[in-house]
Amino acid sequence: MNTDSEIERAIRENHPALITYLTAGDPSLEETKAYVEALDRGGADLIELGLPFSEPIAEGPTIQAAINRALEAGTTPERFFELVDDLEVEAPLLVMTYYNMILQYGSGAEPRSAERDATEPQNGPDPEPFVERAAETGLAGIIVPDLPAEEAAPLRAACDERGLDLVFIVAPTTNGERLDRIMSQASGFAYVQARLGTTGARADVSSATHDSLARLEEYDVPKAVGFGVSEGEHAREIVEAGADGVIVGSALIDIVAESETPVADLEAKACELKGGAERGANAPEPEQP
Amino acid sequence: MNTDSEIERAIRENHPALITYLTAGDPSLEETKAYVEALDRGGADLIELGLPFSEPIAEGPTIQAAINRALEAGTTPERFFELVDDLEVEAPLLVMTYYNMILQYGSGAEPRSAERDATEPQNGPDPEPFVERAAETGLAGIIVPDLPAEEAAPLRAACDERGLDLVFIVAPTTNGERLDRIMSQASGFAYVQARLGTTGARADVSSATHDSLARLEEYDVPKAVGFGVSEGEHAREIVEAGADGVIVGSALIDIVAESETPVADLEAKACELKGGAERGANAPEPEQP
Amino acid sequence: MSESTFGSYGGQYVPEALMPALEELEDAYERYVLENEDGFVDEFRERMRDFGGRPTPLQRADRLSERYDSEIYLKREDLVHGGAHKLNNALGQVLLAKYMGKERIIAETGAGQHGTATAMAAAHLDMPCEIYMGRTDVNRQRPNVYRMRMNGAEVNPVEAGRGTLKEAINETMRDWATTVETTHYVIGSVVGPHPFPTMVRDFQSVIGEEAREQIRGQAGRLPDSVVACAGGGSNTMGAFHAFVDDEDVSLYAVEAGGSSLEIDEREGVAPNSATLSTGTDGVLHGAMTKLLQSGDGQIVESHSVSAGLDYAGVGPELSHLVETGRVTPVNVDDEAALNAFHRLSRLEGIIPALESAHALGHVEEAHEDLGDLVVVNVSGRGDKDLETVLEETEKRDLGAAPDVEVFDS
Amino acid sequence: MSESTFGSYGGQYVPEALMPALEELEDAYERYVLENEDGFVDEFRERMRDFGGRPTPLQRADRLSERYDSEIYLKREDLVHGGAHKLNNALGQVLLAKYMGKERIIAETGAGQHGTATAMAAAHLDMPCEIYMGRTDVNRQRPNVYRMRMNGAEVNPVEAGRGTLKEAINETMRDWATTVETTHYVIGSVVGPHPFPTMVRDFQSVIGEEAREQIRGQAGRLPDSVVACAGGGSNTMGAFHAFVDDEDVSLYAVEAGGSSLEIDEREGVAPNSATLSTGTDGVLHGAMTKLLQSGDGQIVESHSVSAGLDYAGVGPELSHLVETGRVTPVNVDDEAALNAFHRLSRLEGIIPALESAHALGHVEEAHEDLGDLVVVNVSGRGDKDLETVLEETEKRDLGAAPDVEVFDS
Ligand SMILES: Cc1ncc(COP(=O)(O)O)c(C=O)c1O
Ligand SMILES: Cc1ncc(COP(=O)(O)O)c(C=O)c1O
């Protein structure tokens, strides 16, 4: 466990923490900059930024659409890192992306084309260059939805070397043995997946959340709950159930996609969510499942 | 051999004979009456009348179309016999039809229908009633394009009983053994099929005709050649090759279908054909193949 | 010489010009097929194995068996190359034509199943091939026309009449009457003049031979009933032949009941193809058999939702076996056949030909009379019928049908 | 535990939520498939025989053999129930799901072949089944949609992206991530996370096992080469697996060369699906393998005239066998595949799937390198491709194509 972790500190110090997700480049990198700064002002304690990948198998329709918009706007890893460099926010930043994006960055892998000499040596896929560049831009951590603990060793090693956190997801289906395996590699916080399925705003807090939090109690790492959190009231319930933070994504992207005044609305939403979380922390009696 | 045969007599007495075919009921039975009488006036020595059947497998497109017109006009066996009864011609008449028409006539066979009691006895198919009725109306003979010698015994017996001729077709493919089998049952005349294929007007006289006539030479029965004869000049060639008569069908049906003055044209065509045949008979030296 | 009739049925009612060819064919049939001259039968069997995919399985239908509380076995002719039993016959005849030194193959086709089978066999054996097909059928059976063309066969549309099977047969007979010396006419069912009904039956009888051995192996005894659909009757005789001498095995020939069993004489139309149940004796396409005809002897247009059963005649041997009581003729109407199509698709994961669906429809209707162990011949697969089934299903309210509303609006 | 990688390829790159299901599946695979617990393998083989029509023949292609002056044998997977090798895998997985106590089946499909195979297997085994299919594919592959519906499967159109296979896979993964406790995801090729590539290969390896025994029986020795097309690579690994240890047998994986081997990075489109020849290593759909991707790691849209080859990834085991030199990757472009389609149809009377036509196209192009005895896997039949072939043929001037101008004007 990386005890110097900037992320862990941010959660503990701002307990209960609000963690927000936006897809970088949706609808443009300039706008993402303004949105992220608004969330920061509104009370976000940690900010996840999605680097869009063409096959977002873990996302529901809302984030899929955001990713498509970001790709159509020409969001590349390099521009993503430039955005991160540019951002002026207090909250630590994490990148959320799929493993292939991490592997290919700087690998020199090029599809065959008329210009490429087929015999020219290529580096194999390697997470190193990505992590190096992420550290350079000041990113504090990485979340990879399609990288289970079993396949994480190379990325874990690269993150350790550069002092980045690697956040793992704990699912409702994760059993005891797997939990140990995951927690032995996790850093920053445990991303507690509130329910089976994909990302997306939903109207209630599932019983799976309570179960997961209970199972995680013995591990000394902050627990943040995501997947389906959309309102201050959810945030309250989740924190009341024992979480150290709530993660909100799709509900924010709905604002990006639909609002006429997204900057103001994002700031307000962050404020509402943070308020809800805080109400949960101050509740007289933490509910037991 | 039925030596009293009216048909055989008609051919021998009018040598070389013109035999004409029309489909009864094309385009109506009234018109057929007028056409047949015109052919009779024009010089036809024998008249074949087709009783239309829905599946005329031996006919080419011209006679198929005539048969369809006749069926659409509502030509039935009974109306056919009434026409024959009505006709005032010198030439003997033959009916040309498919075997199923002969078998069903008067058989009492009825398709199942709500009114028919399924247990009601039916006669099996039987050529007798047809032949009896044909004899009554004064028909002199029958030609059945889908009845080879092998299957002819019942019809042959019925014809013998009523004094009708049963005319058989000799094809270019008919070999020696089959020829004997056929000729032992044939009466009236031997219908020499000029070429392989179906009925229909064609522009030349095939070499198969010469071969067939040569093979038939030993049999003491008039030989008439049909399939493809359309002009006086063909008739001449065929008779010159040794035939006792020519059979013309499709060329006449073309007139029925296309002419604005069919009665006059049919009479004229019969006259042309009879003239051609006679020129062939008077040729100095019968051509040898 | 082989018998040319079955009781009072059969014979050779064809133009004289074809008789020598029938004699030649009869001779070839006896030598090659009956006596295995030059190893014909061995080559035929080997090609049916390697090219055709024989033997086909006899499959226990688990869910139908449960539904009917008896043992239902399916003879899977749908797995034969081309998708139906038709290849058994087509390959046999094209191979025979080759042994006879013929240079060209012609055939008629209705829905296109026999045409595609013949085209496949001709391509396989490198024989030029022309298929006659009514104009109406050409236009409504495009995929089968494409398949024949892909296999290198010519497809000749027949413009006469209503442009369906009957006209195509007539036209093929006419071609044959012209080209008989070099050409073999591959008739598509157990119909036509002798020796076709016998010969086609012999090529198809592998169905019943396999099934008989398979059911003994799998169920330990002979079945109580064998059920097969009957158009011309080739899959029927193919399935039945091996069982004819097994007197305890009931044989059911299932015809198309269409929309009604009544004939409309005035229009010359039978809204069914139930020849064996409702037909009368007569001569069509070279043989004496049971027919759908008017009192005058005109052949009426038959009808069935299944193109392959849509024929006004039937094989003479079947007429005879019905007459003697050995085969029981039954019929299943369009709607029951459609339901059976959906039922087998849904319950067993096998989409049957609409023809075969008639056989299955009879099992649904009469399973209580069929005994405890039933073999049903699935004569072909139903991919060819999807459009028809959808159209016909839409017109009705069918219990067994799924809806297919997944397409873009 | 079974190995989860093939050299550096394979693995399990999936959301954590799915990992327990993969562990459960791995366990079930080992017990039922590898150890035949509860007689799973016996039941699988029996059902593939009776329901699926196995074994399929190995047929000597007489006219191709003549054309290439060598012995060409065709492994006839086109005769499997449903018309392709896909059922070998679908039935295996649905049966396994049943043994595992799962209550529901989901699957993705592109052209519809895997979807129809899964729907058939699910109907046969009485399992509820939902198939995800891109909107574009739903609309252009109607017959296969109908077939799935007839077999009682739900078909869920996927509106995302270009609405083809890639999107359908993504969406099926999402369903699975939600329903994983009761649902088995039947992946359609040797792709996806471990244990799918190994398990699908094992279900498909019957192809090569049969072929190996058959060629020894029929030709007296092992072949010089085995040729199979490769999309995901399931028919490929199925055909190759039994021969991998036979070092003298060359193995050719034939990919879709499409219209060109160049990638258009700006559009994110590869006008081919030649993953093994031109792809680079990366992670897609749960496995490390060779991919068609941009330099940044975005997956590009692949292309092939044959829908079943149109995939930007490939099985990790094939990537490994190519990397080690055991399998030679080659490719055949759209036009050569179309010509091969017409050639086999015309010369042998077998209409191959367009996928399989790629394998045949390689034999045409490279027969001199393939040795004297060649086995080509005909992975499926081409009925499903008729419309495409006609359209694509019309656009080109193909040597081997017939014209089909018999329709009414
Ligand atoms: C699958 C199938 N079954 C049955 C038939 C009916 O023919 P028969 O009665 O000769 O078997 C056909 C005819 O096309 C067919 O395609
Ligand atoms: C007939 C056929 N062959 C080959 C393929 C390609 O798949 P794979 O490479 O997994 O065999 C498909 C896929 O749909 C197919 O339908």
Side-chain angles (χ1 to χ4, degrees), chain C residues 51 81 149 151 345 349 403, chain D residues 76 81 149 151 345 349 403:
Chain C
F51 176 67
H81 181 48
R149 295 292 297 124
N151 288 143
S345 302
D403 78 60
Chain D
R76 297 288 307 279
H81 180 48
R149 295 293 296 122
N151 287 143
S345 302
D403 77 59

Side-chain angles (χ1 to χ4, degrees), chain D residues 230 253 255 273-279 290 292 314-315 318-320 322 327 329:
Chain D
E255 297 189 295
S273 308
T275 320
L276 292 169
S277 323
T278 73
K290 291 183 181 289
L292 298 182
V314 68
L318 265 178
S319 292
H320 174 63
V322 163
V327 166

Side-chain angles (χ1 to χ4, degrees), chain D residues 328-349:
Chain D
T328 307
V330 293
N331 56 74
V332 158
D333 69 15
D334 289 349
E335 186 156 327
L338 288 163
N339 271 322
F341 177 99
H342 290 300
R343 197 180 303 111
L344 195 75
S345 302
R346 219 186 51 236
L347 295 185
E348 299 286 350

